Amino acid sequence: MRHLLRLSLLGLLAGGTLAGCASTPGPQASFDGGPRSIVLHHPASGETVSVTYRRADGYDPQALDRIATLFRDRRTGETVPVDPTLVELLADLRDRCGADADTPVHITSGYRSPLTNVTLARSNPNVAENSYHLRGQAADISIPGVPPRRLADEAAALQRGGYALYPHTGHVHVDTGPVRTWSPKGGDPRILEARATPAKVASGKAVAAKASPAPRTQVAAAEPAPPKRPPAKAAPASAPAKGNDADLARVRMVLASLKDQPEPAAKKKP
């Protein structure tokens, strides 16, 4: 009961404080009050959740907790409650595409923590800084046997939130925010945190380490002045030779004595 009250309060707060948040199912949602089930699958980890998330008396808190666990941030392990209307949207899309009730909806990316979202936004132009993934209101999905274009068309027909097709990966983004769509920006549009593993995180650090020598190279190239300084230091070394008058006098005497004996040396050569 306490959990049900918490979920109800969460819905009220979301409806009043989050722009574009659908806190109750839209007019086209198949919310008839009867039981409803869904199968969700996370391809990267192999995790699957099969639950009856809605019963005659409302949403099942334990089922929603299991869904939130599958939606968790795969980098940090953090979880947040998933918007129940997003779960309703996923089930409606499955039905509209003609898939069986036990067909799993693949969740490529669910919840993202602020840290994960900021990290991805730095390198991926398709990651919004204020993404609905941060609120448990968005999912990147695919359904086995359903063409991505068909899935995107059905999301467009439902008009229950944002949607976009990512043809490079074959996934469709859906959320319970305002009705809108967009085209993926240039570059690789893939959302990577769902596939993140310690090995890939380590490789990311390795890439950063490879990139770091570039600034060092630029610094080295920007410092040609130091090699020119040794000549300046060598100049004082020659100054004492010029200023040593006693040595110069001796050299002159030796040269003068040699000039006095050129002829005998010339007679000995033949």
Side-chain angles (χ1 to χ4, degrees), residues 80-105:
V80 298
V82 175
D83 185 355
T85 61
L86 176 62
V87 184
E88 296 284 357
L89 175 59
L90 299 181
D92 284 345
L93 287 172
R94 175 201 63 198
D95 295 344
R96 289 176 66 94
C97 289
D100 295 335
D102 59 353
T103 300
V105 178

Side-chain angles (χ1 to χ4, degrees), residues 52-217:
T52 300
Y53 65 89
R54 175 159 54 86
R55 302 185 183 277
D57 58 348
Y59 290 110
D60 185 329
Q62 294 182 347
L64 293 180
D65 281 345
R66 292 182 63 190
I67 291 173
T69 298
L70 184 133
F71 265 67
R72 71 187 180 276
D73 185 309
R74 298 286 163 164
R75 289 177 180 265
T76 67
E78 297 175 59
T79 63
V80 298
V82 175
D83 185 355
T85 61
L86 176 62
V87 184
E88 296 284 357
L89 175 59
L90 299 181
D92 284 345
L93 287 172
R94 175 201 63 198
D95 295 344
R96 289 176 66 94
C97 289
D100 295 335
D102 59 353
T103 300
V105 178
H106 287 192
I107 307 297
T108 304
S109 177
Y111 167 67
R112 290 186 212 148
S113 66
L115 176 61
T116 292
N117 200 73
V118 167
T119 301
L120 293 173
R122 289 172 180 170
S123 59
N124 192 327
N126 293 283
V127 176
E129 293 183 359
N130 191 26
S131 171
Y132 279 89
H133 284 277
L134 292 163
R135 311 174 185 186
Q137 291 182 253
D140 295 337
I141 67 171
S142 62
I143 299 178
V146 177
R149 171 55 63 185
R150 169 73 186 280
L151 188 56
D153 288 344
E154 295 298 344
L158 281 174
Q159 292 287 290
R160 298 240 296 273
Y163 63 93
L165 170 62
Y166 288 76
H168 291 77
T169 59
H171 79 260
V172 175
H173 169 101
V174 293
D175 63 54
T176 54
V179 177
R180 68 207 187 286
T181 190
W182 58 93
S183 298
K185 297 178 182 178
D188 188 350
R190 287 177 293 182
I191 304 300
L192 300 176
E193 89 277 3
R195 302 190 185 95
T197 62
K200 289 191 176 182
V201 172
S203 65
K205 292 181 179 178
V207 171
K210 292 178 180 177
S212 61
R216 294 194 187 103
T217 301

